């Protein structure tokens, strides 16, 4: 399934954990329906993540530490605006296979009260790597070795 209709998303909103592994696009309407889902939600394979869709997903209210949001946005660049959308969210958020993130966006994510996990960065700036390795990021986790990430300005 490459797209998810709002009615199908609503039908799934009562399920425990949802993993839409082949979903490449998500409409605002479907994201609004999924925002009512209380379990783990994995959207792995998205080709992009608009601010409108992110705002809907950020509204999910989670009562348990084990219910998080997993996003896989291959080739996506996480910017400060997107980080701000998720700043107040009470979900643990995992970003997989994101191309890169700015140091400014990392600083915003670090201010969240919940963890943000990153996996599969293609490259990072020297400033972002310095921030991540400074020890001042209690709410950020990078899976894998930072040494394996390409350094680019």
């Amino acid at each position: 399934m490459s797209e998810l209709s709002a009615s199908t998303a609503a039908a799934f909103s009562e399920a425990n954990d949802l993993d839409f592994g082949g979903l490449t696009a998500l409409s605002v309407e479907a994201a609004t329906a999924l925002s009512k889902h209380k379990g783990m939600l994995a959207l792995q394979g998205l080709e992009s993540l608009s601010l409108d869709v992110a705002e809907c997903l950020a509204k999910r209210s989670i009562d348990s530490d084990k219910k998080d949001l997993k996003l896989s946005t291959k080739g996506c660049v996480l910017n400060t605006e997107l980080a701000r959308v998720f700043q107040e969210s009470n979900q643990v958020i995992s970003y997989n296979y994101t191309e890169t993130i700015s140091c400014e966006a990392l600083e915003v994510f670090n201010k969240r009260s919940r963890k943000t996990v990153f996996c599969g960065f293609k490259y990072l700036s020297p400033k972002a790597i310095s921030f991540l390795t400074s020890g001042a990021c209690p709410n950020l986790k990078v899976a894998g070795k930072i040494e394996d990430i390409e350094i680019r300005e």
Side-chain angles (χ1 to χ4, degrees), residues 63-93:
D63 298 328
S64 166
D65 286 342
K66 296 182 177 114
K67 306 301 182 188
D68 55 359
L69 176 63
K70 296 179 181 180
L71 298 169
S72 177
T73 51
K74 199 164 193 166
C76 179
V77 174
L78 290 177
N79 57 34
T80 308
E81 293 81 9
L82 195 57
R84 284 192 184 115
V85 167
F86 286 107
Q87 191 168 8
E88 299 301 319
S89 176
N90 71 341
Q91 307 170 80
V92 173
I93 301 173

Side-chain angles (χ1 to χ4, degrees), residues 3-5 7 9 21 27 56 68 75 78 81 83 85 95 109 116 120 127 136 140 147 150:
E3 291 189 37
L4 182 67
S5 70
S7 60
S27 68
C56 295
D68 55 359
L78 290 177
E81 293 81 9
V85 167
Y95 290 97
F109 277 119
T116 306
K127 186 177 175 184
L140 302 180
E147 301 83 33
E150 183 181 336

Side-chain angles (χ1 to χ4, degrees), residues 51-129:
L51 288 177
D52 292 336
V53 167
E55 286 172 0
C56 295
L57 296 174
K59 292 177 184 173
R60 295 177 67 234
S61 180
I62 307 303
D63 298 328
S64 166
D65 286 342
K66 296 182 177 114
K67 306 301 182 188
D68 55 359
L69 176 63
K70 296 179 181 180
L71 298 169
S72 177
T73 51
K74 199 164 193 166
C76 179
V77 174
L78 290 177
N79 57 34
T80 308
E81 293 81 9
L82 195 57
R84 284 192 184 115
V85 167
F86 286 107
Q87 191 168 8
E88 299 301 319
S89 176
N90 71 341
Q91 307 170 80
V92 173
I93 301 173
S94 299
Y95 290 97
N96 297 315
Y97 307 108
T98 299
E99 189 158 317
T100 193
I101 187 169
S102 69
C103 188
E104 294 77 13
L106 285 170
E107 290 169 355
V108 172
F109 277 119
N110 192 46
K111 291 176 185 172
R112 296 182 68 235
S113 62
R114 299 297 300 273
K115 272 230 187 290
T116 306
V117 180
F118 302 99
C119 177
F121 282 128
K122 187 173 181 179
Y123 65 91
L124 290 171
S125 71
K127 186 177 175 184
I129 288 177

Side-chain angles (χ1 to χ4, degrees), residues 13-33:
S13 66
E14 297 299 317
N16 280 337
D17 293 340
L18 292 175
D19 188 345
F20 294 106
L23 198 63
T24 58
L26 188 65
S27 68
V28 171
E29 296 78 19
T32 300

